[in-house]
Amino acid sequence: MNKSEKEETVKLQKSLKTYQVLVWILGGCGVLLSLFAINDYFNGREMEITTIGMAVCSFGGLASVIPQYEAIKKALKNRGL
């Protein structure tokens, strides 16, 4: 591996870690917000539309991050890492 390939590999590894954090944050937020909305529903309280909207946006963000995450994992796998 030459120097530029090593630099690219390090850059991909850092990107992979960043995307891993984003996946956990967006997934966790989506699940927690959904649980809050479900809890309100079953306890007979009014469901807040902002909670539902934020949960939907969290899952939407997760759906947009996962393809990029998978592409980085595939690129690193092709490099043998």
Side-chain angles (χ1 to χ4, degrees), residues 30-61:
V31 168
L32 284 175
L33 289 168
S34 297
L35 290 175
F36 290 147
I38 291 169
N39 187 33
D40 286 345
Y41 175 77
F42 283 121
N43 288 329
R45 295 186 295 238
E46 183 178 338
M47 293 174 59
E48 293 196 25
I49 194 70
T50 54
T51 304
I52 296 168
M54 289 178 5
V56 168
C57 289
S58 293
F59 289 126

Side-chain angles (χ1 to χ4, degrees), residues 60-79:
L62 185 62
S64 69
V65 166
I66 287 179
Q68 297 166 356
Y69 173 72
E70 292 296 325
I72 292 172
K73 279 179 55 176
K74 185 177 179 182
L76 285 172
K77 185 177 181 181
N78 288 341
R79 291 176 187 242

